[in-house]
Amino acid sequence: MTTILTYGTFDLFHIGHVRLLSRLAELGDRLIVGVSTDEFNAAKGKRSFIPYEHRAEIVASMRSVDRVIPETSWEQKRADIILHGVDIFAIGSDWKGKFDTLSDLCEVRYLERTDGISSTELKAQLAAPEPQEIERLGHALDILQQVVDNYRGLP
Ligand code: C2G
């Protein structure tokens, strides 16, 4: 039986995550996913929008995923590989080269990311005001500027 291991935050679960997990599952017979805890995310300098418990449950619900474990540190990978008898460590290509040091324990692979989507981009898009909101704010600013100009006796 070939065991695959990967790690990730999987915040705002999206098609990039779905495709990666499906491709990982195709590499072997069992896929274990380490989902970053909220605390570890903070250490990664990321604030996840969806809490760990929900992110872990969402990933575990995927047919392609056999087991979810918490990712609480950068250093746990070696112990996890040994503990779970991992044959292949694999992760998206944005991490290319970063985990080659694991190659004394198992095969290390980097799979192409899905372009055009990321949790960070989704958060930015969701936070951006709607165009009509920007229009309304612009109009309010014009009125305010007029009040200030009148107050200063400007034409
Ligand atoms: N991913 C992808 N395509 C995207 C976005 C993400 O293939 N458009 C992949 C990433 O390459 C990663 C996995 O999906 O393999 C999870 O991505 P993130 O949730 O962003 O995880 P990350 O913050 O990269 O955490 O110790 C490793 C870290 O925990 C990885």
Side-chain angles (χ1 to χ4, degrees):
M1 169 162 73
T2 302
T3 298
I4 316 294
L5 174 66
T6 193
Y7 296 85
T9 304
F10 299 100
D11 196 19
L12 299 179
F13 200 68
H14 55 67
I15 193 63
H17 297 141
V18 171
R19 287 179 182 157
L20 181 95
L21 293 173
S22 302
R23 292 211 301 276
L24 287 171
E26 285 163 16
L27 296 177
D29 309 295
R30 181 170 71 135
L31 173 56
I32 301 172
V33 182
V35 175
S36 314
T37 60
D38 297 333
E39 296 74 16
F40 179 50
N41 263 335
K44 288 200 278 188
K46 291 174 90 165
R47 191 173 68 80
S48 38
F49 191 79
I50 307 293
Y52 167 75
E53 292 69 24
H54 292 183
R55 290 184 285 111
E57 190 174 333
I58 290 166
V59 170
S61 73
M62 290 285 291
R63 244 195 332 270
S64 48
V65 176
D66 296 285
R67 181 168 181 183
V68 168
I69 58 176
E71 182 186 30
T72 57
S73 74
W74 292 112
E75 296 74 27
Q76 73 181 76
K77 294 181 177 65
R78 298 187 71 83
D80 285 345
I81 288 167
I82 294 164
L83 177 67
H84 298 286
V86 171
D87 301 288
I88 303 174
F89 170 88
I91 197 165
S93 50
D94 46 318
W95 291 92
K96 195 160 183 59
K98 297 287 192 310
F99 300 113
D100 292 352
T101 51
L102 299 173
S103 56
D104 62 316
L105 293 175
C106 65
E107 189 182 337
V108 176
R109 287 201 204 172
Y110 301 96
L111 305 185
E112 273 316 299
R113 277 174 63 91
T114 301
D115 283 336
I117 189 160
S118 73
S119 309
T120 308
E121 282 167 42
L122 286 174
K123 287 176 198 168
Q125 286 162 20
L126 289 167
E130 293 294 326
Q132 62 267 26
E133 176 68 8
I134 294 175
E135 189 64 33
R136 199 181 63 75
L137 287 172
H139 184 57
L141 276 174
D142 292 344
I143 293 172
L144 199 56
Q145 186 61 57
Q146 205 172 343
V147 168
V148 170
D149 292 349
N150 291 346
Y151 176 76
R152 290 177 175 163
L154 297 173

